[in-house]
Amino acid sequence: MGENSSVIAGVVPKATFVENVQAYVKESGKDVDLVLEDVRDMLQRYTHVEQELQQRKQRLQLKQPEIEKCLDAVNMLIERNDSGEDMDLDFSLSDHVYARATVQHAGYVGLWLGAGVMVEYSLDEAKALLEEQLQSCMRQLEVLADDCNYVRDQVTTTEVALARIYNYSVGVKKK
């Protein structure tokens, strides 16, 4: 587990490994069925957090190629501007409808920021912004990978504890 997962480790409590089930149940001061219910509840919380992290990770994984594609386009515009070449570009007007245009000098580019907002940037500013966003996206993916591993460990530990307590409860009920 990396140093970046300290955020999730501070929010999500560490699962307790139950080595001696009888002592664990006795220490809780509850009936074995209530202890089982508590552990199931904790498992449900861990799996909910794990699902949230996985969804966030998927959203970032979808965002990363989009940022890279935009960065490639800005880099291509910079190269063409530096060489002084005219550019033949296809502009999307709507789904499957494009218009072709020849651009002589593109000093600015519009970037969609989200929520229907487009901002015009100089090519250098756009490149810097997109590189920063790409780095941020990659860092967030690393942190999320560590966080997912941490939560997965907690789920596994809780599942083992649940199985051990359940087996113990079956033995107690047989007596």
Side-chain angles (χ1 to χ4, degrees):
M1 180 170 46
E3 145 188 342
N4 293 330
S5 65
S6 61
V7 172
I8 197 75
V11 175
V12 176
K14 188 166 176 57
T16 306
F17 179 75
V18 179
E19 187 141 351
N20 184 341
V21 178
Q22 184 177 7
Y24 182 78
V25 171
K26 192 174 221 173
E27 185 179 298
S28 74
K30 299 178 183 176
D31 181 53
V32 70
D33 290 330
L34 291 175
V35 172
L36 262 175
E37 187 178 316
D38 288 346
V39 173
R40 282 188 186 118
D41 190 39
M42 199 63 182
L43 179 62
Q44 186 176 11
R45 286 188 218 145
Y46 284 136
T47 54
H48 177 73
V49 168
E50 183 180 32
Q51 289 171 352
E52 291 290 323
L53 290 172
Q54 289 294 341
Q55 288 173 356
R56 202 174 337 159
K57 187 176 176 182
Q58 287 174 345
R59 283 192 302 269
L60 283 172
Q61 287 172 333
L62 290 174
K63 186 190 275 189
Q64 184 178 357
E66 288 294 319
I67 295 170
E68 289 171 343
K69 186 172 117 181
C70 289
L71 186 58
D72 289 343
V74 169
N75 284 331
M76 188 261 315
L77 287 172
I78 290 171
E79 287 174 18
R80 294 279 175 93
N81 268 353
D82 291 345
S83 69
E85 294 179 47
D86 289 349
M87 295 173 271
D88 289 328
L89 301 175
D90 293 328
F91 293 94
S92 175
L93 299 175
S94 67
D95 290 340
H96 309 292
V97 178
Y98 293 89
R100 183 162 290 210
T102 300
V103 178
Q104 294 172 348
H105 177 72
Y108 294 91
V109 67
L111 296 179
W112 285 105
L113 298 181
V117 176
M118 179 184 265
V119 177
E120 186 177 78
Y121 289 97
S122 72
L123 291 176
D124 292 331
E125 289 174 331
K127 181 179 178 179
L129 176 68
L130 290 169
E131 286 173 342
E132 181 182 318
Q133 286 182 340
L134 183 59
Q135 291 301 318
S136 174
C137 183
M138 291 167 56
R139 277 192 307 271
Q140 288 176 29
L141 281 169
E142 288 175 15
V143 170
L144 278 172
D146 287 345
D147 290 349
C148 286
N149 288 337
Y150 173 80
V151 173
R152 185 78 220 136
D153 288 346
Q154 304 321 301
V155 167
T156 302
T157 301
T158 305
E159 286 172 338
V160 169
L162 182 64
R164 295 182 86 181
I165 294 169
Y166 178 79
N167 290 341
Y168 174 75
S169 73
V170 168
V172 167
K173 290 177 183 176
K174 279 186 181 179
K175 290 183 182 179

